[in-house]
């Protein structure tokens, strides 16, 4: 059974940085795509970034390009989301997600991911 455990959330002032971690277990993840999503208060969950575990290919939502970086550590089986220049609108619960991939395509929708973590709160204040 795939397990994803997020950590690293917290409160930060606008302009600051946080690094989220997603520790994965229960599978060999070489054929997986890992994603980060977020759900702001009162809104639907939205795509933030994804990374292919095998190729390292990354994709980002336009709203975070240039500020957020997704990366993986093969030895630790952990995916990271480095968030810099945080804005008030980045406040949300952040979720890690995973799915098998044999096509090399990108996955941006909630329904396209099979496994989810419990989420970690990020609050950005002025």
């Amino acid at each position: 059974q795939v397990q994803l455990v997020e950590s690293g959330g917290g409160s930060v002032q606008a302009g600051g940085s946080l690094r989220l971690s997603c520790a994965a277990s229960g599978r060999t993840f070489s054929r997986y795509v890992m994603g980060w999503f977020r759900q702001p208060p009162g809104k639907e969950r939205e795509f933030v970034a994804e990374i292919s575990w095998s190729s390292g290919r990354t994709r980002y939502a336009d709203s975070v390009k240039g500020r957020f970086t997704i990366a993986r550590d093969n030895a630790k089986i952990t995916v990271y989301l480095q968030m810099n220049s945080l804005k008030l609108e980045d406040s949300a619960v952040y979720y890690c997600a995973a799915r098998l991939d044999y096509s090399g395509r990108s996955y941006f929708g909630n329904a396209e991911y099979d496994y989810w973590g419990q989420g970690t709160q990020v609050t950005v204040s002025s």
Side-chain angles (χ1 to χ4, degrees):
Q1 182 71 11
V2 172
Q3 285 193 318
L4 304 173
V5 180
E6 302 99 333
S7 61
S11 297
V12 64
Q13 287 192 322
S17 298
L18 280 176
R19 188 178 78 159
L20 305 183
S21 300
C22 172
S25 63
R27 287 285 191 279
T28 300
F29 287 92
S30 58
R31 281 291 189 180
Y32 276 71
V33 168
M34 307 297 293
W36 282 100
F37 287 73
R38 66 186 182 187
Q39 187 166 18
K43 296 184 179 181
E44 294 187 353
R45 192 158 54 187
E46 62 184 19
F47 171 80
V48 175
E50 66 153 16
I51 186 167
S52 167
W53 207 286
S54 58
S55 69
R57 182 211 69 225
T58 59
R59 294 284 190 273
Y60 296 92
D62 288 343
S63 58
V64 306
K65 278 181 184 176
R67 300 188 299 120
F68 290 12
T69 302
I70 188 171
R72 72 203 191 296
D73 184 322
N74 290 335
K76 295 182 178 180
I77 320 178
T78 299
V79 175
Y80 302 98
L81 186 68
Q82 178 67 44
M83 305 185 295
N84 299 328
S85 302
L86 282 162
K87 303 177 180 180
L88 298 179
E89 54 264 40
D90 293 320
S91 294
V93 178
Y94 282 73
Y95 296 91
C96 178
R99 67 153 291 145
L100 268 172
D101 172 54
Y102 291 101
S103 68
R105 55 159 286 197
S106 293
Y107 302 92
F108 303 113
N110 288 298
E112 296 183 292
Y113 285 81
D114 299 310
Y115 305 99
W116 294 85
Q118 82 287 352
T120 185
Q121 177 72 48
V122 171
T123 302
V124 184
S125 60
S126 58

